Structure formats: structure tokens, C-alpha cells
Amino acid sequence: MLSVEYKTPEKFAASLTGSLVGGAAHAEARSANGRVSYLAGVRYKNAQYVLNSLRQAQGGYNPTFTTRRPS
């Protein structure tokens, strides 16, 4: 069984990371009266830079990823 606990932001926080194959950013905050909070994030990944650097003579690889929550 999977147990999920959602994070409840207590104050403003943000992060930003990056690399040769992608990056990520997030922000979270809570209103002064504590009634409204949010947590948002985005991720991007592209391995094409790494794959092109391999300089293989044959083959092609262009991955596409899509995720969705099961119904």
C-alpha cells in the first residue's frame, strides 16, 4: 500500500537547478492568514546534447516522455 503525505508550505521558499540535460524549478508559499498555500514546480529533461556528443554513425534516438496519473 502506498501512503502519500502532501507537504504544507510554512513560508516562502524556491529552488532552481540546472545541468547539461535539463533543469528544475519550484516555488512554495503560504498566505499571511494561513488559509491559502501553494507549491508549484516544473522539470525539463533533454538528453539530446549527450546523445549527439557520442557521434554514433548509425541509429537514431529521440525519446519522448509523457506521464499521467492513473484513473
Side-chain angles (χ1 to χ4, degrees), residues 13-41:
S15 68
L16 181 65
T17 60
S19 70
L20 293 175
V21 294
H26 110 279
E28 62 184 73
R30 184 178 204 136
S31 65
N33 62 8
R35 295 183 68 192
V36 177
S37 65
Y38 72 88
L39 193 153

Side-chain angles (χ1 to χ4, degrees), residues 36-51:
V36 177
S37 65
Y38 72 88
L39 193 153
V42 63
R43 292 188 294 176
Y44 173 77
K45 183 176 180 183
N46 184 351
Q48 200 63 40
Y49 176 78
V50 173
L51 296 172

Side-chain angles (χ1 to χ4, degrees), residues 3 5 7 10-11 13-14 16 18-19 21-22 24-25 28 31 39 43 48 52 54 59-60 63-65 67 70:
S3 176
E5 292 184 29
K7 181 179 179 180
E10 297 298 325
K11 60 182 181 176
L16 181 65
S19 70
V21 294
E28 62 184 73
S31 65
L39 193 153
R43 292 188 294 176
Q48 200 63 40
N52 285 339
L54 298 176
T64 301
F65 297 97
T67 59

